Amino acid sequence: MTTLSYVPDDELRRARALQLPATERAAIIATLCRINTLYMIMRAGSGHLGTSFSSLDLLSWLFLEELEHPEVSGHADGDIFFSSKGHDAPGKYAVLIALGLLDFELIHSLRRLGGLPGHPDVGTPHMHTNTGSLGMGISKARGMARARRLLGRAGRIVVLTGDGELQEGQFWESLQPTANGGFGELTVIVDHNKIQSDIWVEQVSSLGDLEAKLRAFGWHVARCDGHDFAAIERTLAELKAVADKPKLLIADTVKGKGVSFMEGTALQPDDRLYRFHSGAPTPALYARSVEELLAHANALLAAAGAAPLRVEETPCPERPVLDGMQRMVPAYSQALLAQAARNSRIVALDADLALDTGLLPFEERFPERFVECGIAEQDMVSQAGAMALQGFLPICHSFACFMPPRANEQIYNNATERTKVIYVGSLAGLLPGGPGHSHQSVRDIDILAAMPGMALLEPCCEQEVGLALDFLVDRHAGPGYLRLVSIPCAVNYALPAGYALEDGRGVALTQGEDVVLFGYGPVLLPQAVSAARTLAERGVGVKVVNLPFLNRVDQGWLHAMLGDCQLIVTLDNHYVAGGQGEFLAAQIAQLGLTGERRVIALGVREIPFCGSNDEVLRAHRLDAASLAQELHAIVERSARV
Amino acid sequence: MTTLSYVPDDELRRARALQLPATERAAIIATLCRINTLYMIMRAGSGHLGTSFSSLDLLSWLFLEELEHPEVSGHADGDIFFSSKGHDAPGKYAVLIALGLLDFELIHSLRRLGGLPGHPDVGTPHMHTNTGSLGMGISKARGMARARRLLGRAGRIVVLTGDGELQEGQFWESLQPTANGGFGELTVIVDHNKIQSDIWVEQVSSLGDLEAKLRAFGWHVARCDGHDFAAIERTLAELKAVADKPKLLIADTVKGKGVSFMEGTALQPDDRLYRFHSGAPTPALYARSVEELLAHANALLAAAGAAPLRVEETPCPERPVLDGMQRMVPAYSQALLAQAARNSRIVALDADLALDTGLLPFEERFPERFVECGIAEQDMVSQAGAMALQGFLPICHSFACFMPPRANEQIYNNATERTKVIYVGSLAGLLPGGPGHSHQSVRDIDILAAMPGMALLEPCCEQEVGLALDFLVDRHAGPGYLRLVSIPCAVNYALPAGYALEDGRGVALTQGEDVVLFGYGPVLLPQAVSAARTLAERGVGVKVVNLPFLNRVDQGWLHAMLGDCQLIVTLDNHYVAGGQGEFLAAQIAQLGLTGERRVIALGVREIPFCGSNDEVLRAHRLDAASLAQELHAIVERSARV
């Protein structure tokens, strides 16, 4: 069993109380925060280490020495700090905990229900705005500053951004008006660690001459080493003196700073990917990391004449066993390779998520047909549309939470040209529950369903992934959206032998006469099938139907599936509003049915909770046990009427 | 009656054939094109004069002298030209017609069904991509260039952009990757006329040092007078020699160039607004304009030793009489003033459409609470969210076709903070039909309906506008969306005395037992009421219900409204997918229906047609006569079953 170490509250207090020069104390606190950040992420099983470590020296300095009144969140004239990139949240939590600004016990609940969300949420003290979707920071900061001007309040707004984040159009959209308004209240710090997600920024989409660009927008620009506390202090003091312009500090940092083998600079020339962007390290690497960090902390303490650090130890929670689980994204990788091998019109476009969207095999095999766009979804989608006009079949890739909303107008613009572009949204649906609602995509069906001619599909198992891609490429004339769950799933059903996708149709996975339940995808169908099996034992028959088509249905097939059943349930891994269920209910209402049929919608009804996958399913009452209860209650109510 | 003049085909051919230096011939053609552009817009009753005139010298030169093979649309190695701003389409049509690249007779059908759309559409020859929503041009051009590289084809891509358009984030998002890829195939020309919509760019949201900014992104930048043909020729030749970088030409132009009193430079210091951005001039101003243009053309022809111009004359179509029509936007202006007078938390944000969204009275009365954001919807929405976090009640304004899709993720991000921001989308729905599908907002309900806590309302008359705003401000806790039709509407119903908005409820406008029809808004409810009256004469009773709530309904009220009626029709000024009708059908299916009820959805089912308002309603079968036919057929079919 792996043992995890963290720095307890009293030790954090001891460090804060050390009578030392500010830069030396900050170095100690930052190191303790790295130990605690690592602890939180190991305990959670996921989280963004690399970017938390690159920004931790800056964060520590800001909260210890720079910000005024950070202890009183919302202090009328206090300084506001927030992170625009947001995935450095574990690092910020560690600092807030170290300063006593967050309840210490929260250290044990990163990415857990009721704990600390994977990305910033205003429900947590000292989190001033929700972030996690990139590029919004300066717009938000200017809004805050404008509000404070109207209220006659002082105080600075300090925003931390990533560097990959600077590829987003909104960042540049927000720069000029901020300069035009003379928003000297704003200080933006770019955590310039040079690696975005898993790859060098320079390789993904170079930022060019960043300083020259920012100055050309009328900003005051400074640059310093983001791990040199004296340099940070000096540079921030210089910036404070500039009152009439917004200010931007390019802080040169190292991704994963503080653990030798996690540092981006330790990448070997033939390393394709940086390995510590997100996700917890292996137990072995964890042990090496904490050893290094402890040694460093103790060296700093010894130099300060202080006693060595005492850490608390606790067992690492068991990781779920993933054997035998099905994975949609690798299945997609293979299906795409097969399609691309026989269809030279296919080009694949990516928005800085080639690893997560399964594109690395495609990039390796068809490099000339692979387009890396960086974090620039709008640019990617419009570019794809133009390639379609020139005869190609572009397939755009990103997370389901980002591409459909960020490039919504661009996707529509393409659709009005009546060309064919396929969009693949991975990380779709409520799970994983750890990253929080910025990454839980439960609105993508809604905002794509009305795109003219677009077919939306979500496969329910690896086998159906290839069928769905083939349908979109070979059989559907218009644009398409392939919705992919990214977590490994325990699939407790099998598609029938010889299963083929037929337009607007699906297949029953269980049989039953009391309820017909329509659903899709490998997260909720297994829960529904499990619930149906439970209910079968209690004499309640539930027919669970897999309908991979999210916005189209064959009405004859639908009618046949309904049979004489009076209770119809829809189940969405998505908000109920705008999901497959609402669409199906409307279709059923159009059928003109006899009797006393009722359609009941199950799905996500609240802003998604953050937590472990099991916690989140249960909290939304979408786990097998809750579904069984719910279905049973529906049948009982109906019998009573 | 106003008489319109246009330059006929034979005169255009004579001008093209003149043996003159290229710059002199281009000047003549451009002037003839201005006459024809003015004709098209006067005949259509609307269209973008100012920007067509500012770019016409450039367009004429490009098509006459610069582009290779423009005559063969899609020529493998030909140059591609398109406009990113798109509202200069009338000017481009005039040039294409002058060069014989478009059927001459199309000159009479701007913004008419089957004619020339208000914004570019690939259905028109030589229109290479759909534009009208701003900022997509460079992304599209790079996509085209990338496709051509893969196909081994040559040819340049020339893109015209506006200057206000440069406020859009996507423009900047697309710049750096284009430089990184060394896309020397691209030449971007900025039609820098310094007025965006109706106001100086400098006043709306200054572009700063444009040349420095663009160079900092790695582009080759040149600048010239966009009305000096020799300078245009010389500068484009210089740019042609630069092969390894994308190139951008800032063309200094004058909005409305060619007619003295339409020129932006003729604006007086106390003129608040430029008057010729969109819309047709008055008959008197038209007469003066055409007189000036004719005189100029004849002076140029005389100098060239050619005979004076012969124009054809034709009567101007009658303009619809607007007396007694209701106007939602002015009603909103008044309602907003009243609210703002008693609620100091209200701030109003605008995205370069203060005139069209009815904000000028607010700006005048509460200048400190008015925020002009320019064409930067994402920046506006995130800024508003931050102001809400600081205690304000921000109201964001833009067109319904732009803000909900362009800032979709930002609106959602705000909603997850559980603050209250109100969004007002004007120009909502299928009409006006003239601008074309980029401006026909028939997807906004869909893409906003699943925003957590958001109430969507569309008022059906002036009286209901104020009620709807008051509901969103005073009675609804969450965010809201107010959907406003911008065309004047003939409202043939009245709300009952003492009418008050009740959450999720509406009111019957007609009585009938055969069909209950749910709809909203001042465009389609009058058609439905008119259809109901026609059918009443034939013994068919239709109860038309106004339900201003688009994504919420009181189920008890709904049940009562349905009564025993078996035929339920929904009517959407929106795509059927994701509209109010689909939501209502799903709600009705949840009620548990007895008997043989059927819900039939009427609304927009195709990409909106461009045409006059009457043409467009008829083409979508949503005019009163079509609705009466449709409803009659529904009743007949039902009786037959």
Side-chain angles (χ1 to χ4, degrees), chain B residues 521-545:
Chain B
V523 166
L524 291 193
L525 281 177
Q527 306 297 324
V529 165
S530 174
R533 289 177 185 154
T534 302
L535 289 175
E537 291 167 15
R538 298 190 218 157
V540 175
V542 180
K543 176 157 71 176
V544 175
V545 180

Side-chain angles (χ1 to χ4, degrees), chain A residues 62 66-68 76-82 137-160 175 177-189 218-220 236 239-249, chain B residues 383 387 390:
Chain A
L62 285 168
E66 180 73 15
L67 299 176
E68 284 175 38
D77 294 323
D79 292 341
I80 291 176
F81 167 87
F82 68 90
I138 296 180
S139 305
K140 285 172 180 261
R142 188 165 80 263
M144 291 177 187
R146 201 183 283 285
R148 287 182 155 212
R149 285 183 180 187
L150 280 170
L151 296 167
R153 291 186 182 168
R156 284 175 302 168
I157 324 280
V158 181
V159 184
L160 188 72
L175 282 181
T178 307
N180 292 346
F183 281 95
E185 303 96 316
L186 261 68
T187 303
V188 175
I189 304 177
W219 283 57
H220 181 92
L236 285 175
L239 291 183
K240 212 166 181 175
V242 178
D244 57 337
K245 279 180 170 190
K247 294 152 282 191
L248 189 141
L249 167 59
Chain B
Q383 202 183 163
M387 295 186 82
Q390 298 282 314

Side-chain angles (χ1 to χ4, degrees), chain A residues 129 133 142 378-379 409 417, chain B residues 129 133 142 378-379 409:
Chain A
T129 178
S133 174
R142 188 165 80 263
Q378 305 191 21
D379 186 47
E409 195 177 11
E417 293 178 333
Chain B
T129 180
S133 172
R142 187 163 82 264
Q378 304 191 18
D379 186 46
E409 196 177 11

Side-chain angles (χ1 to χ4, degrees), chain A residues 129-130 133 139-140 142 146 169-170 173 176 213 378-379 383 406 408-409 413 417 443 595, chain B residues 129-130 133 139-140 142 146 169 173 176 213 378-379 383 406 408-410 413 417 443 593:
Chain A
T129 178
N130 290 3
S133 174
S139 305
K140 285 172 180 261
R142 188 165 80 263
R146 201 183 283 285
Q170 188 179 354
E173 182 173 300
Q176 188 68 50
K213 284 160 74 174
Q378 305 191 21
D379 186 47
Q383 200 182 163
R406 187 63 68 116
N408 196 271
E409 195 177 11
N413 177 274
E417 293 178 333
R443 225 168 44 87
Chain B
T129 180
N130 290 3
S133 172
S139 305
K140 285 171 179 262
R142 187 163 82 264
R146 202 183 281 286
E173 181 172 301
Q176 188 69 51
K213 285 160 74 174
Q378 304 191 18
D379 186 46
Q383 202 183 163
R406 186 61 69 115
N408 196 271
E409 196 177 11
Q410 289 75 11
N413 177 273
E417 293 179 330
R443 223 167 47 84
L593 300 171

Side-chain angles (χ1 to χ4, degrees), chain B residues 19-41:
Chain B
Q19 295 301 312
L20 293 172
T23 55
E24 291 178 30
R25 191 173 48 233
I28 292 171
I29 298 282
T31 305
L32 305 193
C33 285
R34 285 191 172 88
I35 295 171
N36 282 350
T37 299
L38 184 62
Y39 166 73
M40 287 192 276
I41 289 172

Side-chain angles (χ1 to χ4, degrees), chain A residues 435-464:
Chain A
H437 50 68
S438 62
H439 287 60
Q440 288 164 291
S441 182
V442 291
R443 225 168 44 87
D444 51 323
I445 299 174
D446 178 54
I447 61 179
L448 293 176
M451 295 286 177
M454 184 179 284
L456 276 59
L457 278 91
E458 178 172 337
C460 72
C461 60
E462 292 175 353
Q463 182 191 345
E464 209 174 35

